[in-house]
Amino acid sequence: MIETRLADGTLVMARPLGLADRSQLAEGYRRLSPESRYQRFWVRTGGVIGDKMLDRMLAGSVEEHGLWAVLDPARDFQGLGAASFWRSNEDGEDAEFSCTVLDEDQRRGVGTLLLAVLWLVAYRQGIRRFTGYTMPENSSAIRWMRDTGAEAEWDGYKVIFRWDLANLDKLPASNAGIALAERLAELAEELLDGDSAS
Ligand SMILES: CC(C)(COP(=O)(O)OP(=O)(O)OC[C@H]1O[C@@H](n2cnc3c(N)ncnc32)[C@H](O)[C@@H]1OP(=O)(O)O)[C@@H](O)C(=O)NCCC(=O)NCCS
């Protein structure tokens, strides 16, 4: 578990989610706006997450899959956002990355904190690239992914982003890029060498 502060001073925790977090994860999904839910999960099925989706998100070994949340312990419902990676079956150095922050907590640095945590957790497992997908109309996610150093490609249907996890020198001098570099420096020792990554 990681303890840190957001830029506004709020004390937050980041930790991996497990089977005991099933109802919290379902509640976080319910609290997302329909637009954010659609942007992350690509479905317009209302606020109830399916059992199969929950099973899939909460399963998987540490080597293949990471699912972390950022929590505010001072709140009734503590979840602010969650992100995951899945190692590719075809290329063991590549993993699919996705991230969701509750609407009222977006633009507070939570997404960038989650990206930094998963970046280091995945790197420790030998993953060297993250691939993320967005819809072309999701301009805030597109901007955030570019600003955190991902290269964009358009396949005629969705925008594909790739972060090179090995090359920290390529991070842009945007607000989010600088925040990411600071988070990676802050968390590297604990997540690359310590026990917090599992
Ligand atoms: C895309 C998404 C994950 C980004 O998460 P986020 O927590 O809003 O991102 P951050 O706050 O870390 O960074 C976003 C921006 O806020 C800025 N920011 C961060 N902390 C800030 C603060 N304290 N004050 C003002 N701005 C801040 C960042 O610098 C960045 O600025 P930019 O506008 O210059 O790019 C989030 O918007 C989201 O969940 N969207 C819906 C789901 C989705 O589209 N997911 C992506 C597909 S997987």
Side-chain angles (χ1 to χ4, degrees):
M1 192 191 63
I2 302 289
E3 212 176 72
T4 189
R5 286 188 189 275
L6 299 181
D8 64 9
T10 308
L11 182 70
V12 293
M13 283 184 258
R15 68 164 175 82
L17 295 180
L19 295 175
D21 299 301
R22 193 177 177 93
S23 60
Q24 293 289 310
L25 196 55
E27 178 59 16
Y29 184 88
R30 194 189 68 76
R31 287 176 183 240
L32 283 173
S33 70
E35 202 48 39
S36 283
R37 205 178 295 129
Y38 180 57
Q39 284 167 347
R40 163 63 183 83
F41 295 93
W42 305 59
V43 288
R44 292 210 187 269
T45 51
V48 181
I49 189 169
D51 277 337
K52 272 197 187 145
M53 172 85 84
L54 273 176
D55 291 343
R56 186 176 133 72
M57 288 175 81
L58 291 166
S61 67
V62 187
E63 293 79 25
E64 302 306 309
H65 172 55
L67 171 65
W68 283 63
V70 169
L71 308 160
D72 177 349
R75 285 200 191 170
D76 275 349
F77 179 72
Q78 298 188 354
L80 302 181
S84 64
F85 72 80
W86 281 99
R87 193 193 289 268
S88 156
N89 289 330
E90 286 82 43
D91 177 356
E93 291 200 347
D94 191 272
E96 181 175 339
F97 169 82
S98 29
C99 184
T100 323
V101 177
L102 288 187
D103 291 71
E104 60 273 26
D105 294 304
Q106 291 178 7
R107 303 216 59 218
R108 299 181 69 200
V110 176
T112 304
L113 172 58
L114 282 163
L115 174 59
V117 167
L118 289 198
W119 182 305
L120 295 166
V121 170
Y123 195 88
R124 185 175 167 157
Q125 299 300 337
I127 290 165
R128 296 294 177 262
R129 280 179 306 285
F130 271 166
T131 303
Y133 303 96
T134 64
M135 294 167 203
E137 62 271 27
N138 189 356
S139 53
S140 60
I142 288 173
R143 186 170 162 206
W144 174 69
M145 289 176 167
R146 280 219 171 100
D147 282 357
T148 53
E151 303 276 344
E153 189 193 321
W154 166 244
D155 74 353
Y157 168 58
K158 57 189 181 305
V159 190
I160 305 168
F161 283 93
R162 291 195 179 84
W163 288 267
D164 177 355
L165 306 189
N167 199 342
L168 298 179
D169 301 339
K170 272 205 299 203
L171 293 180
S174 60
N175 289 340
I178 292 165
L180 176 63
E182 287 173 358
R183 287 297 188 194
L184 289 168
E186 173 194 346
L187 303 172
E189 198 177 332
E190 199 163 348
L191 289 175
L192 289 179
D193 309 322
D195 295 330
S196 302
S198 48

